[in-house]
mmCIF file of all heavy atoms in Angstrom:
data_model
loop_
_atom_site.group_PDB
_atom_site.id
_atom_site.type_symbol
_atom_site.label_atom_id
_atom_site.label_comp_id
_atom_site.label_asym_id
_atom_site.label_seq_id
_atom_site.Cartn_x
_atom_site.Cartn_y
_atom_site.Cartn_z
ATOM 1 N N ARG A 1 59.964 29.319 -72.045
ATOM 2 C CA ARG A 1 60.182 28.331 -73.092
ATOM 3 C C ARG A 1 60.006 26.929 -72.509
ATOM 4 O O ARG A 1 59.904 26.758 -71.298
ATOM 5 C CB ARG A 1 61.589 28.461 -73.682
ATOM 6 C CG ARG A 1 62.694 28.236 -72.660
ATOM 7 C CD ARG A 1 64.079 28.399 -73.260
ATOM 8 N NE ARG A 1 65.124 28.208 -72.274
ATOM 9 C CZ ARG A 1 65.596 27.026 -71.889
ATOM 10 N NH1 ARG A 1 65.108 25.912 -72.422
ATOM 11 N NH2 ARG A 1 66.544 26.927 -70.974
ATOM 12 N N HIS A 2 59.968 25.949 -73.384
ATOM 13 C CA HIS A 2 59.935 24.553 -72.966
ATOM 14 C C HIS A 2 61.285 23.912 -73.254
ATOM 15 O O HIS A 2 61.929 24.204 -74.261
ATOM 16 C CB HIS A 2 58.851 23.776 -73.733
ATOM 17 C CG HIS A 2 57.466 24.118 -73.301
ATOM 18 N ND1 HIS A 2 56.624 24.911 -74.038
ATOM 19 C CD2 HIS A 2 56.770 23.755 -72.193
ATOM 20 C CE1 HIS A 2 55.475 25.030 -73.416
ATOM 21 N NE2 HIS A 2 55.527 24.330 -72.295
ATOM 22 N N SER A 3 61.703 23.052 -72.349
ATOM 23 C CA SER A 3 62.908 22.261 -72.590
ATOM 24 C C SER A 3 62.509 20.809 -72.769
ATOM 25 O O SER A 3 61.532 20.344 -72.173
ATOM 26 C CB SER A 3 63.893 22.395 -71.424
ATOM 27 O OG SER A 3 63.413 21.719 -70.282
ATOM 28 N N MET A 4 63.267 20.102 -73.611
ATOM 29 C CA MET A 4 62.931 18.718 -73.903
ATOM 30 C C MET A 4 64.182 18.003 -74.398
ATOM 31 O O MET A 4 64.962 18.555 -75.181
ATOM 32 C CB MET A 4 61.857 18.661 -74.983
ATOM 33 C CG MET A 4 61.471 17.265 -75.433
ATOM 34 S SD MET A 4 60.453 17.328 -76.927
ATOM 35 C CE MET A 4 61.614 17.997 -78.120
ATOM 36 N N GLU A 5 64.392 16.816 -73.893
ATOM 37 C CA GLU A 5 65.470 15.978 -74.404
ATOM 38 C C GLU A 5 64.982 15.311 -75.687
ATOM 39 O O GLU A 5 64.001 14.566 -75.671
ATOM 40 C CB GLU A 5 65.846 14.909 -73.371
ATOM 41 C CG GLU A 5 66.502 15.453 -72.109
ATOM 42 C CD GLU A 5 67.905 15.977 -72.364
ATOM 43 O OE1 GLU A 5 68.508 15.576 -73.395
ATOM 44 O OE2 GLU A 5 68.386 16.793 -71.566
ATOM 45 N N ARG A 6 65.645 15.583 -76.788
ATOM 46 C CA ARG A 6 65.175 15.094 -78.086
ATOM 47 C C ARG A 6 65.186 13.573 -78.169
ATOM 48 O O ARG A 6 64.448 12.977 -78.947
ATOM 49 C CB ARG A 6 66.016 15.699 -79.198
ATOM 50 C CG ARG A 6 65.867 17.209 -79.318
ATOM 51 C CD ARG A 6 66.573 17.753 -80.545
ATOM 52 N NE ARG A 6 66.382 19.191 -80.642
ATOM 53 C CZ ARG A 6 65.332 19.780 -81.204
ATOM 54 N NH1 ARG A 6 64.374 19.017 -81.733
ATOM 55 N NH2 ARG A 6 65.228 21.078 -81.263
ATOM 56 N N LYS A 7 66.044 12.924 -77.389
ATOM 57 C CA LYS A 7 66.101 11.467 -77.407
ATOM 58 C C LYS A 7 65.328 10.852 -76.242
ATOM 59 O O LYS A 7 65.435 9.655 -75.984
ATOM 60 C CB LYS A 7 67.558 11.007 -77.362
ATOM 61 C CG LYS A 7 68.359 11.403 -78.600
ATOM 62 C CD LYS A 7 69.777 10.858 -78.532
ATOM 63 C CE LYS A 7 70.569 11.243 -79.777
ATOM 64 N NZ LYS A 7 71.962 10.715 -79.723
ATOM 65 N N GLY A 8 64.542 11.676 -75.539
ATOM 66 C CA GLY A 8 63.798 11.167 -74.396
ATOM 67 C C GLY A 8 64.637 11.170 -73.136
ATOM 68 O O GLY A 8 65.853 11.389 -73.169
ATOM 69 N N THR A 9 63.982 10.937 -72.012
ATOM 70 C CA THR A 9 64.639 10.940 -70.709
ATOM 71 C C THR A 9 64.356 9.621 -70.001
ATOM 72 O O THR A 9 63.211 9.163 -69.956
ATOM 73 C CB THR A 9 64.117 12.096 -69.834
ATOM 74 O OG1 THR A 9 64.339 13.327 -70.515
ATOM 75 C CG2 THR A 9 64.829 12.127 -68.487
ATOM 76 N N LEU A 10 65.408 8.997 -69.455
ATOM 77 C CA LEU A 10 65.228 7.757 -68.707
ATOM 78 C C LEU A 10 64.799 8.063 -67.288
ATOM 79 O O LEU A 10 65.479 8.783 -66.560
ATOM 80 C CB LEU A 10 66.534 6.944 -68.697
ATOM 81 C CG LEU A 10 66.850 6.151 -69.970
ATOM 82 C CD1 LEU A 10 68.248 5.547 -69.868
ATOM 83 C CD2 LEU A 10 65.809 5.051 -70.184
ATOM 84 N N LEU A 11 63.658 7.498 -66.905
ATOM 85 C CA LEU A 11 63.148 7.684 -65.548
ATOM 86 C C LEU A 11 62.803 6.325 -64.953
ATOM 87 O O LEU A 11 62.433 5.392 -65.675
ATOM 88 C CB LEU A 11 61.896 8.567 -65.561
ATOM 89 C CG LEU A 11 62.092 10.030 -65.948
ATOM 90 C CD1 LEU A 11 60.741 10.723 -66.003
ATOM 91 C CD2 LEU A 11 63.005 10.739 -64.955
ATOM 92 N N PRO A 12 62.910 6.188 -63.617
ATOM 93 C CA PRO A 12 62.541 4.923 -62.971
ATOM 94 C C PRO A 12 61.084 4.568 -63.244
ATOM 95 O O PRO A 12 60.199 5.417 -63.173
ATOM 96 C CB PRO A 12 62.783 5.204 -61.486
ATOM 97 C CG PRO A 12 63.774 6.318 -61.463
ATOM 98 C CD PRO A 12 63.451 7.165 -62.648
ATOM 99 N N ALA A 13 60.845 3.313 -63.561
ATOM 100 C CA ALA A 13 59.479 2.848 -63.821
ATOM 101 C C ALA A 13 58.684 2.794 -62.521
ATOM 102 O O ALA A 13 59.218 2.459 -61.459
ATOM 103 C CB ALA A 13 59.512 1.479 -64.481
ATOM 104 N N PHE A 14 57.406 3.102 -62.611
ATOM 105 C CA PHE A 14 56.538 3.080 -61.439
ATOM 106 C C PHE A 14 56.050 1.658 -61.182
ATOM 107 O O PHE A 14 55.514 0.996 -62.071
ATOM 108 C CB PHE A 14 55.346 4.008 -61.655
ATOM 109 C CG PHE A 14 54.349 3.974 -60.536
ATOM 110 C CD1 PHE A 14 54.672 4.467 -59.277
ATOM 111 C CD2 PHE A 14 53.080 3.434 -60.735
ATOM 112 C CE1 PHE A 14 53.755 4.433 -58.239
ATOM 113 C CE2 PHE A 14 52.157 3.403 -59.702
ATOM 114 C CZ PHE A 14 52.499 3.901 -58.454
ATOM 115 N N ASN A 15 56.224 1.206 -59.958
ATOM 116 C CA ASN A 15 55.766 -0.119 -59.558
ATOM 117 C C ASN A 15 55.038 0.008 -58.229
ATOM 118 O O ASN A 15 55.668 0.071 -57.170
ATOM 119 C CB ASN A 15 56.953 -1.082 -59.422
ATOM 120 C CG ASN A 15 56.500 -2.481 -59.005
ATOM 121 O OD1 ASN A 15 55.310 -2.763 -58.936
ATOM 122 N ND2 ASN A 15 57.460 -3.350 -58.709
ATOM 123 N N PRO A 16 53.701 0.045 -58.253
ATOM 124 C CA PRO A 16 52.957 0.274 -57.007
ATOM 125 C C PRO A 16 53.055 -0.877 -56.023
ATOM 126 O O PRO A 16 52.775 -0.703 -54.827
ATOM 127 C CB PRO A 16 51.518 0.459 -57.500
ATOM 128 C CG PRO A 16 51.462 -0.303 -58.778
ATOM 129 C CD PRO A 16 52.815 -0.128 -59.408
ATOM 130 N N ASP A 17 53.480 -2.061 -56.477
ATOM 131 C CA ASP A 17 53.509 -3.234 -55.606
ATOM 132 C C ASP A 17 54.910 -3.620 -55.140
ATOM 133 O O ASP A 17 55.082 -4.633 -54.451
ATOM 134 C CB ASP A 17 52.876 -4.430 -56.333
ATOM 135 C CG ASP A 17 51.441 -4.160 -56.740
ATOM 136 O OD1 ASP A 17 50.705 -3.584 -55.917
ATOM 137 O OD2 ASP A 17 51.073 -4.505 -57.873
ATOM 138 N N GLY A 18 55.885 -2.831 -55.522
ATOM 139 C CA GLY A 18 57.259 -3.174 -55.148
ATOM 140 C C GLY A 18 58.056 -1.955 -54.734
ATOM 141 O O GLY A 18 57.577 -0.814 -54.838
ATOM 142 N N PRO A 19 59.291 -2.157 -54.283
ATOM 143 C CA PRO A 19 60.131 -1.039 -53.855
ATOM 144 C C PRO A 19 60.648 -0.233 -55.050
ATOM 145 O O PRO A 19 60.643 -0.707 -56.195
ATOM 146 C CB PRO A 19 61.288 -1.731 -53.130
ATOM 147 C CG PRO A 19 61.386 -3.062 -53.807
ATOM 148 C CD PRO A 19 59.968 -3.453 -54.132
ATOM 149 N N TYR A 20 61.080 0.957 -54.765
ATOM 150 C CA TYR A 20 61.682 1.812 -55.790
ATOM 151 C C TYR A 20 62.953 1.150 -56.298
ATOM 152 O O TYR A 20 63.806 0.728 -55.521
ATOM 153 C CB TYR A 20 61.992 3.180 -55.166
ATOM 154 C CG TYR A 20 62.803 4.104 -56.025
ATOM 155 C CD1 TYR A 20 62.197 4.884 -57.001
ATOM 156 C CD2 TYR A 20 64.185 4.215 -55.860
ATOM 157 C CE1 TYR A 20 62.930 5.749 -57.781
ATOM 158 C CE2 TYR A 20 64.930 5.073 -56.640
ATOM 159 C CZ TYR A 20 64.299 5.844 -57.601
ATOM 160 O OH TYR A 20 65.040 6.698 -58.377
ATOM 161 N N ASP A 21 63.086 1.058 -57.600
ATOM 162 C CA ASP A 21 64.257 0.421 -58.203
ATOM 163 C C ASP A 21 64.755 1.308 -59.335
ATOM 164 O O ASP A 21 64.164 1.337 -60.413
ATOM 165 C CB ASP A 21 63.888 -0.969 -58.727
ATOM 166 C CG ASP A 21 65.106 -1.727 -59.268
ATOM 167 O OD1 ASP A 21 66.203 -1.124 -59.351
ATOM 168 O OD2 ASP A 21 64.948 -2.912 -59.602
ATOM 169 N N ARG A 22 65.846 2.010 -59.098
ATOM 170 C CA ARG A 22 66.349 2.939 -60.093
ATOM 171 C C ARG A 22 66.942 2.245 -61.313
ATOM 172 O O ARG A 22 67.169 2.883 -62.338
ATOM 173 C CB ARG A 22 67.397 3.868 -59.473
ATOM 174 C CG ARG A 22 68.693 3.193 -59.067
ATOM 175 C CD ARG A 22 69.685 4.233 -58.550
ATOM 176 N NE ARG A 22 69.164 4.872 -57.355
ATOM 177 C CZ ARG A 22 69.592 6.064 -56.905
ATOM 178 N NH1 ARG A 22 70.516 6.708 -57.578
ATOM 179 N NH2 ARG A 22 69.090 6.572 -55.812
ATOM 180 N N THR A 23 67.177 0.952 -61.218
ATOM 181 C CA THR A 23 67.733 0.234 -62.363
ATOM 182 C C THR A 23 66.659 -0.125 -63.391
ATOM 183 O O THR A 23 66.967 -0.426 -64.540
ATOM 184 C CB THR A 23 68.444 -1.052 -61.915
ATOM 185 O OG1 THR A 23 67.483 -1.957 -61.365
ATOM 186 C CG2 THR A 23 69.518 -0.744 -60.872
ATOM 187 N N GLN A 24 65.405 -0.125 -62.945
ATOM 188 C CA GLN A 24 64.289 -0.412 -63.861
ATOM 189 C C GLN A 24 63.781 0.916 -64.424
ATOM 190 O O GLN A 24 62.987 1.604 -63.805
ATOM 191 C CB GLN A 24 63.176 -1.151 -63.108
ATOM 192 C CG GLN A 24 63.592 -2.487 -62.539
ATOM 193 C CD GLN A 24 64.006 -3.459 -63.642
ATOM 194 O OE1 GLN A 24 63.338 -3.576 -64.674
ATOM 195 N NE2 GLN A 24 65.114 -4.166 -63.425
ATOM 196 N N ARG A 25 64.262 1.256 -65.604
ATOM 197 C CA ARG A 25 63.946 2.561 -66.167
ATOM 198 C C ARG A 25 63.208 2.442 -67.490
ATOM 199 O O ARG A 25 63.306 1.434 -68.172
ATOM 200 C CB ARG A 25 65.233 3.377 -66.372
ATOM 201 C CG ARG A 25 65.983 3.652 -65.073
ATOM 202 C CD ARG A 25 67.071 4.665 -65.288
ATOM 203 N NE ARG A 25 67.748 5.008 -64.049
ATOM 204 C CZ ARG A 25 68.541 6.063 -63.899
ATOM 205 N NH1 ARG A 25 68.770 6.860 -64.928
ATOM 206 N NH2 ARG A 25 69.111 6.315 -62.746
ATOM 207 N N THR A 26 62.493 3.492 -67.809
ATOM 208 C CA THR A 26 61.804 3.571 -69.090
ATOM 209 C C THR A 26 62.058 4.940 -69.697
ATOM 210 O O THR A 26 62.203 5.934 -68.964
ATOM 211 C CB THR A 26 60.294 3.319 -68.914
ATOM 212 O OG1 THR A 26 59.673 3.269 -70.184
ATOM 213 C CG2 THR A 26 59.649 4.424 -68.079
ATOM 214 N N ARG A 27 62.116 5.021 -71.007
ATOM 215 C CA ARG A 27 62.397 6.286 -71.681
ATOM 216 C C ARG A 27 61.077 6.997 -71.984
ATOM 217 O O ARG A 27 60.155 6.402 -72.554
ATOM 218 C CB ARG A 27 63.194 6.045 -72.969
ATOM 219 C CG ARG A 27 63.792 7.314 -73.575
ATOM 220 C CD ARG A 27 64.702 6.983 -74.749
ATOM 221 N NE ARG A 27 65.848 6.207 -74.325
ATOM 222 C CZ ARG A 27 66.973 6.725 -73.832
ATOM 223 N NH1 ARG A 27 67.074 8.049 -73.687
ATOM 224 N NH2 ARG A 27 67.985 5.947 -73.494
ATOM 225 N N VAL A 28 61.001 8.265 -71.591
ATOM 226 C CA VAL A 28 59.770 9.040 -71.759
ATOM 227 C C VAL A 28 60.097 10.403 -72.362
ATOM 228 O O VAL A 28 61.248 10.859 -72.338
ATOM 229 C CB VAL A 28 59.044 9.241 -70.409
ATOM 230 C CG1 VAL A 28 58.679 7.915 -69.777
ATOM 231 C CG2 VAL A 28 59.901 10.081 -69.449
ATOM 232 N N TRP A 29 59.050 11.041 -72.890
ATOM 233 C CA TRP A 29 59.162 12.442 -73.261
ATOM 234 C C TRP A 29 58.973 13.259 -71.985
ATOM 235 O O TRP A 29 57.930 13.176 -71.337
ATOM 236 C CB TRP A 29 58.078 12.825 -74.269
ATOM 237 C CG TRP A 29 58.247 12.232 -75.630
ATOM 238 C CD1 TRP A 29 57.458 11.292 -76.219
ATOM 239 C CD2 TRP A 29 59.263 12.541 -76.579
ATOM 240 N NE1 TRP A 29 57.918 10.990 -77.465
ATOM 241 C CE2 TRP A 29 59.030 11.747 -77.727
ATOM 242 C CE3 TRP A 29 60.358 13.414 -76.572
ATOM 243 C CZ2 TRP A 29 59.832 11.800 -78.856
ATOM 244 C CZ3 TRP A 29 61.164 13.460 -77.701
ATOM 245 C CH2 TRP A 29 60.906 12.671 -78.824
ATOM 246 N N LYS A 30 59.958 14.041 -71.634
ATOM 247 C CA LYS A 30 59.878 14.892 -70.450
ATOM 248 C C LYS A 30 59.970 16.346 -70.898
ATOM 249 O O LYS A 30 61.018 16.800 -71.351
ATOM 250 C CB LYS A 30 61.003 14.571 -69.465
ATOM 251 C CG LYS A 30 60.916 15.362 -68.163
ATOM 252 C CD LYS A 30 62.072 15.003 -67.238
ATOM 253 C CE LYS A 30 62.007 15.808 -65.944
ATOM 254 N NZ LYS A 30 63.159 15.511 -65.058
ATOM 255 N N ILE A 31 58.855 17.044 -70.776
ATOM 256 C CA ILE A 31 58.775 18.435 -71.226
ATOM 257 C C ILE A 31 58.607 19.326 -69.995
ATOM 258 O O ILE A 31 57.719 19.096 -69.165
ATOM 259 C CB ILE A 31 57.585 18.631 -72.182
ATOM 260 C CG1 ILE A 31 57.704 17.648 -73.351
ATOM 261 C CG2 ILE A 31 57.527 20.062 -72.688
ATOM 262 C CD1 ILE A 31 56.464 17.565 -74.182
ATOM 263 N N GLU A 32 59.442 20.327 -69.872
ATOM 264 C CA GLU A 32 59.398 21.210 -68.719
ATOM 265 C C GLU A 32 59.300 22.661 -69.169
ATOM 266 O O GLU A 32 59.989 23.071 -70.108
ATOM 267 C CB GLU A 32 60.646 21.041 -67.854
ATOM 268 C CG GLU A 32 60.766 19.682 -67.182
ATOM 269 C CD GLU A 32 62.000 19.604 -66.296
ATOM 270 O OE1 GLU A 32 63.124 19.729 -66.830
ATOM 271 O OE2 GLU A 32 61.835 19.430 -65.083
ATOM 272 N N GLU A 33 58.424 23.399 -68.506
ATOM 273 C CA GLU A 33 58.341 24.833 -68.752
ATOM 274 C C GLU A 33 59.482 25.511 -67.989
ATOM 275 O O GLU A 33 59.676 25.264 -66.798
ATOM 276 C CB GLU A 33 56.992 25.370 -68.284
ATOM 277 C CG GLU A 33 56.789 26.844 -68.605
ATOM 278 C CD GLU A 33 55.550 27.418 -67.957
ATOM 279 O OE1 GLU A 33 54.943 26.714 -67.119
ATOM 280 O OE2 GLU A 33 55.211 28.561 -68.271
ATOM 281 N N LYS A 34 60.204 26.371 -68.688
ATOM 282 C CA LYS A 34 61.352 27.032 -68.104
ATOM 283 C C LYS A 34 61.153 28.543 -68.035
ATOM 284 O O LYS A 34 60.462 29.126 -68.856
ATOM 285 C CB LYS A 34 62.616 26.729 -68.924
ATOM 286 C CG LYS A 34 63.037 25.263 -68.914
ATOM 287 C CD LYS A 34 63.557 24.850 -67.551
ATOM 288 C CE LYS A 34 64.153 23.454 -67.592
ATOM 289 N NZ LYS A 34 64.668 23.026 -66.275
ATOM 290 N N GLN A 35 61.760 29.160 -67.042
ATOM 291 C CA GLN A 35 61.907 30.605 -66.877
ATOM 292 C C GLN A 35 60.701 31.305 -66.244
ATOM 293 O O GLN A 35 60.834 32.439 -65.781
ATOM 294 C CB GLN A 35 62.237 31.294 -68.210
ATOM 295 C CG GLN A 35 63.516 30.793 -68.856
ATOM 296 C CD GLN A 35 63.818 31.466 -70.183
ATOM 297 O OE1 GLN A 35 62.940 32.090 -70.788
ATOM 298 N NE2 GLN A 35 65.042 31.324 -70.652
ATOM 299 N N THR A 36 59.540 30.668 -66.205
ATOM 300 C CA THR A 36 58.360 31.376 -65.708
ATOM 301 C C THR A 36 58.520 31.836 -64.266
ATOM 302 O O THR A 36 58.228 32.991 -63.930
ATOM 303 C CB THR A 36 57.105 30.493 -65.849
ATOM 304 O OG1 THR A 36 56.776 30.391 -67.241
ATOM 305 C CG2 THR A 36 55.910 31.101 -65.116
ATOM 306 N N ASP A 37 58.979 30.958 -63.378
ATOM 307 C CA ASP A 37 59.121 31.341 -61.970
ATOM 308 C C ASP A 37 60.095 32.508 -61.807
ATOM 309 O O ASP A 37 59.847 33.444 -61.032
ATOM 310 C CB ASP A 37 59.588 30.153 -61.131
ATOM 311 C CG ASP A 37 58.559 29.041 -61.061
ATOM 312 O OD1 ASP A 37 57.365 29.344 -61.208
ATOM 313 O OD2 ASP A 37 58.956 27.880 -60.876
ATOM 314 N N VAL A 38 61.206 32.453 -62.536
ATOM 315 C CA VAL A 38 62.196 33.536 -62.463
ATOM 316 C C VAL A 38 61.610 34.821 -63.044
ATOM 317 O O VAL A 38 61.790 35.907 -62.482
ATOM 318 C CB VAL A 38 63.487 33.140 -63.209
ATOM 319 C CG1 VAL A 38 64.440 34.322 -63.281
ATOM 320 C CG2 VAL A 38 64.155 31.973 -62.516
ATOM 321 N N ASN A 39 60.906 34.714 -64.167
ATOM 322 C CA ASN A 39 60.303 35.904 -64.767
ATOM 323 C C ASN A 39 59.280 36.547 -63.845
ATOM 324 O O ASN A 39 59.199 37.784 -63.748
ATOM 325 C CB ASN A 39 59.643 35.529 -66.102
ATOM 326 C CG ASN A 39 60.653 35.278 -67.205
ATOM 327 O OD1 ASN A 39 61.768 35.805 -67.172
ATOM 328 N ND2 ASN A 39 60.275 34.479 -68.189
ATOM 329 N N ILE A 40 58.485 35.738 -63.164
ATOM 330 C CA ILE A 40 57.520 36.281 -62.207
ATOM 331 C C ILE A 40 58.239 36.999 -61.072
ATOM 332 O O ILE A 40 57.875 38.121 -60.690
ATOM 333 C CB ILE A 40 56.620 35.160 -61.647
ATOM 334 C CG1 ILE A 40 55.668 34.642 -62.730
ATOM 335 C CG2 ILE A 40 55.812 35.654 -60.437
ATOM 336 C CD1 ILE A 40 54.840 33.444 -62.302
ATOM 337 N N ALA A 41 59.256 36.360 -60.522
ATOM 338 C CA ALA A 41 59.994 36.955 -59.407
ATOM 339 C C ALA A 41 60.620 38.287 -59.800
ATOM 340 O O ALA A 41 60.551 39.275 -59.047
ATOM 341 C CB ALA A 41 61.062 35.985 -58.907
ATOM 342 N N LEU A 42 61.236 38.344 -60.971
ATOM 343 C CA LEU A 42 61.867 39.585 -61.426
ATOM 344 C C LEU A 42 60.832 40.686 -61.616
ATOM 345 O O LEU A 42 61.048 41.834 -61.195
ATOM 346 C CB LEU A 42 62.613 39.340 -62.734
ATOM 347 C CG LEU A 42 63.930 38.577 -62.635
ATOM 348 C CD1 LEU A 42 64.463 38.264 -64.029
ATOM 349 C CD2 LEU A 42 64.965 39.381 -61.858
ATOM 350 N N ALA A 43 59.708 40.349 -62.251
ATOM 351 C CA ALA A 43 58.680 41.354 -62.500
ATOM 352 C C ALA A 43 58.101 41.888 -61.193
ATOM 353 O O ALA A 43 57.918 43.101 -61.029
ATOM 354 C CB ALA A 43 57.574 40.766 -63.373
#
């Protein structure tokens, strides 16, 4: 199945010219496939 936060997920914004800053975040759709690795291992 796919998992998804219905209100979006806050992730740090990418800045190629500066240091990582966890306070600078942007809300994105984050969709993840779930269970496949476990299902493969079990099978």
Side-chain angles (χ1 to χ4, degrees):
R1 61 181 179 83
H2 287 104
S3 71
M4 177 191 65
E5 292 290 340
R6 295 188 179 275
K7 295 183 179 180
T9 302
L10 281 173
L11 292 176
F14 176 68
N15 180 7
D17 301 318
Y20 171 83
D21 185 353
R22 68 176 63 200
T23 66
Q24 299 298 316
R25 298 191 176 195
T26 186
R27 193 173 296 275
V28 301
W29 290 112
K30 184 181 179 182
I31 304 168
E32 294 182 298
E33 184 189 9
K34 295 290 188 180
Q35 301 179 343
T36 289
D37 294 334
V38 173
N39 286 334
I40 290 174
L42 286 173

